[in-house]
Amino acid sequence: MKVLFVASECAPVVKVGGLGDVIGALPVTLKEIGVDTAVVIPAYKPLIDQCQELFKNRLLHTEVRFAGVSTPVNVYQTVIPKSSVPLYLIQNETYLSNGGIYGSPTAFAVSQNEVNRFAFFSKAVTSVFLENPSCDFRPDIIHCNDWHTGLLPKLTRNLIPTIFTIHNLANQGFSATDIVDKLGIYINKSKLLSWDAEDSNIDFILQGIMSADYITTVSPTYAKEILTPSFGEGMQDVLNAREGRIYGILNGVDYKVWDPKTDPSIKKNYSHESLGGKGQCKIALQQELNLPVDLVKPLISFIARLTTQKGIDMIISLLDEILGLGCQIVILGAGDPSLENRLRMKASDLEKEGFFQARVKLEFNDPLAHRIFAGSDIFLAPSRFEPCGLTQMVAMKYGTIPLVRRVGGLADSVESGVTGFSFENFNDSEFMDSLKRALNYFSYKEEWKKLVLTAMQRDFSWTAAAKKYAEIYNLALN
Ligand code: GLC
C-alpha cells in the first residue's frame, strides 16, 4: 500500500508548528510497520536559499495549468532526514517558491495569495503524482493535512481514496470563488462547491471535510469537541453530517528527537532510571537565561506559537500573581505581533520593578526549547482549545510536569494528579488554583519525584497511532 502525505510542513526540513512534527514522524513510523509512505511539500524560497543539499536530485520538470496558464514546475526528490521515506519538493516561481512560508507568523491563512499558493500546490500534486509517467511514486491513497490540502480530494475526482486530517479547525483557508475557475473545476457541476460559494467564498477546510473518504483529527477528545458549537468553528453541522467517517487518533512524540537520555542539546543526559542530570540541566538553564540559580525554587515554562489559542494572553495578565507564588518562569515563542508586544512590555516592566525571576524569549529556538524542557519543573499549556498538543507529551518525557486545560489532546494525554495537573474551564481562578496545587505538590519532594517518574514512563511513541492510521487506510481501500 502506497500512501502519499501532502502537507505544508515536514520537520526537520520545514517546521512552523506541530503539523511539521507530525509530518516528519508519522510517515516514518508507518514505513516501519510496513506502509509504503512518501511526503510532498512546497519548495519554499527559504529552503532553496538555505538548504541546497535538498535540491540535488531533480526528478522531473513539467507544467501545471492554473488560472488559464501553463506554469513550469520542478519536482525534487530527497528523503526525510534519518529515514528512508521519500520527500518530494515542488518548486514553482510564481506560486510556491517566492516569499516565505506562511503569510503570518501565527501560521493562520491571511491572504488570497496564500490560498492561491496552496490551491496551485494541490493541483501540482495531482498532475505530478496521478498523471505524470515520470513520477516514481504512484500512490494508492492520498493523505491530506489541514486547509492547505482541502481542495485535493475534489481535484483527485475520486480516482483514488483520500484521507483528510484536521490539525487545527480554526485555520480554514478562505478564497474568492474564482479559485475554482483557476483550478479548472466547473462550479455548477458540483453541488458542494455551489453551496459553499453562496456566501461568496470557498472554504478549503470545509471542502476537505466534505470530499475526503475519511476524516481524522489528532485526538479522540477533539474529534468529539468539534461536533459542538463551542469547538466546531462553524463547521459543526458539516462535521456532524459526516460523523461516521471521523476518527480521533492521538498524535505521538518522536523519541528519536525528544528523549533526555540521548538529547545532544542538553547539559546532562538523564532518564527515569537515573534522574540526576535533570538538576544539572535546571542549573544550566538558569545560568544560560541569567536567572538566579536555585534548585529549590520551582521553574515554570511555556513554549508555543504565540496565539490566543494557547492561552498566553491569560499567562501575561497573571504574570505578577504567578511570580508572587515564589517561582521562576521562562516563556519561549514567536507569533502574533500584538502578543509579542505585550510580552516584551511586560518583561521590561518586571525588570524595572526589580523582578528577576522571569525570562521571555520571542523567537523560534529549537535547541533552547530542548534545554527548557529538560531544565524546568512545570510546563504550562492552558489552551482555549487544543487539537492535540505535542509539548505536554514532550514535557512528560523530560520529567517536566504539565499543567493543562482539560481540552482536546491535553485531556487525552495528561492524567491529573498522576502525570500532571489540569483544570476544566478557561478562566483565571481555575488556572491559578491548579497552579497553586502544583506548586504545593512540588514542595513534597518524594511525592513530586513519583509524579515525575510516572510521567516520564508514559509511552506516547508514534507506533500506536501509526497502526490506527493503517487501519483507516485499509478501510479506505476497501
Ligand atoms: C496544530 C494543533 C496542535 C496539534 C498539531 C499537530 O498545531 O494546534 O494541537 O498538536 O497541529 O497535529
Side-chain angles (χ1 to χ4, degrees), residues 9 17-23 108 146 165-169 217-218 222 251 305 309-310 383 385-393 409-410 462:
E9 302 176 31
L19 170 65
D21 289 311
V22 174
I23 307 302
F108 273 53
D146 266 358
T165 296
I166 302 167
H167 295 264
N168 195 340
L169 191 58
T217 187
V218 287
Y222 193 60
N251 281 336
R305 234 177 330 113
Q309 172 190 342
K310 303 285 178 182
S383 302
F385 65 94
E386 198 58 77
C388 179
L390 303 172
T391 47
Q392 78 282 6
M393 298 191 274
L410 299 171
W462 270 106

